[in-house]
Amino acid sequence: KRYGPSVQRNLFKRHIREVFRLSRCHFPCYVDFLVKPRKMAREADFELLAQEFERLVTQWSSDEKGC
């Protein structure tokens, strides 16, 4: 529980789920993600998380097509 109290952890999980939900069509069906937040992720807002995830999406979509 290095990330922080349960309120912060749950908010981070909700943000990550929403960002993934918005961009999951860009990933292959067989992809699983393991997200381990770092302490600096506490200061990240939803927009920053979405931007970083979008960067990941562009890397994946250049390699493979989604579902």
Side-chain angles (χ1 to χ4, degrees):
K1 313 232 167 129
R2 294 179 181 171
Y3 183 70
S6 61
V7 173
Q8 286 180 333
R9 291 192 309 270
N10 291 333
L11 180 63
F12 180 78
K13 286 190 272 186
R14 284 195 305 272
H15 283 172
I16 291 297
R17 284 186 196 121
E18 180 64 14
V19 168
F20 179 74
R21 185 188 69 78
L22 294 173
S23 59
R24 75 174 142 195
C25 64
H26 299 287
F27 292 99
C29 297
Y30 56 84
V31 172
D32 290 330
F33 285 98
L34 175 64
V35 178
K36 297 175 86 176
R38 296 182 182 215
K39 290 183 181 181
M40 61 188 210
R42 285 184 218 166
E43 299 157 6
D45 60 352
F46 183 77
E47 298 299 321
L48 181 60
L49 292 173
Q51 288 173 359
E52 288 297 313
F53 211 80
E54 184 66 30
R55 188 175 58 79
L56 179 64
V57 167
T58 56
Q59 288 177 351
W60 269 91
S61 61
S62 66
D63 293 340
E64 294 189 39
K65 277 294 189 197
C67 299

